[in-house]
Amino acid sequence: MEIFETMVMLPIVLQRVTEHSDSTLTDARVTGMIGFGGTIKGMIGVSATADMAKIVTGSLLGMEIAHLDDDVKDAFGEIANMIAGALKSACGENGIDIDLAIPNSVVGDCLHISGLRGAKRVVLEFSASAGKLWIELKYLEA
């Protein structure tokens, strides 16, 4: 929430936290994700509806966004990177060492993130005036 308020200038409200294995976010149109390894292995994904993705990107870049284009993909990769960086810092303070991979992003309909068989999955659902946003953590403990 802090990253969205300070870097994106968009307050978001936590609606629900779920732990489950279903990995389809039916309303998501954009996902930025980054993997990590070390003491724990996993990935962080940041997904949003189309309208939310355009608003988030426009706010981050200081310009109006009309389409789900490369700017949107780059913005969501960077947001995933910022969130993963915060996780890395928090883990480091608790003696847990992780290394981050390079962020990636995708645009599509009814996104399904797979991989990390047997991983725990936590999804935080947020809302703002522009739509919904999900932050997903999948991880395997060593």
Side-chain angles (χ1 to χ4, degrees):
M1 291 174 68
E2 180 181 328
I3 288 169
F4 277 86
E5 290 177 12
T6 59
M7 301 302 291
V8 183
M9 308 301 195
L10 180 67
I12 56 176
V13 177
L14 181 62
Q15 296 296 314
R16 104 179 95 184
V17 177
T18 56
E19 293 184 41
H20 50 76
S21 60
D22 175 34
S23 58
T24 302
L25 297 174
T26 56
D27 295 333
R29 297 297 176 260
V30 175
T31 297
M33 62 195 106
I34 186 167
F36 56 88
T39 306
I40 58 173
K41 296 169 181 42
M43 62 79 60
I44 291 176
V46 182
S47 303
T49 60
D51 288 341
M52 182 70 152
K54 290 186 268 187
I55 295 295
V56 165
T57 302
S59 184
L60 186 66
L61 300 179
M63 56 193 258
E64 189 171 325
I65 303 295
H67 304 286
L68 298 178
D69 57 15
D70 286 341
D71 286 334
V72 174
K73 290 194 289 187
D74 290 345
F76 271 75
E78 184 55 33
I79 291 168
N81 194 38
M82 286 187 266
I83 293 170
L87 175 66
K88 179 180 172 90
S89 293
C91 285
E93 291 171 5
N94 291 294
I96 300 169
D97 183 43
I98 63 171
D99 295 311
L100 302 179
I102 297 170
N104 293 292
S105 55
V106 294
V107 173
D109 293 330
C110 195
L111 300 174
H112 177 85
I113 299 171
S114 62
L116 295 172
R117 174 167 273 169
K120 294 180 182 181
R121 180 175 186 247
V122 179
V123 178
L124 290 84
E125 181 179 320
F126 296 90
S127 66
S129 58
K132 290 183 182 178
L133 173 87
W134 299 268
I135 297 176
E136 174 179 357
L137 172 65
K138 288 177 101 173
Y139 66 97
L140 295 166
E141 296 178 274

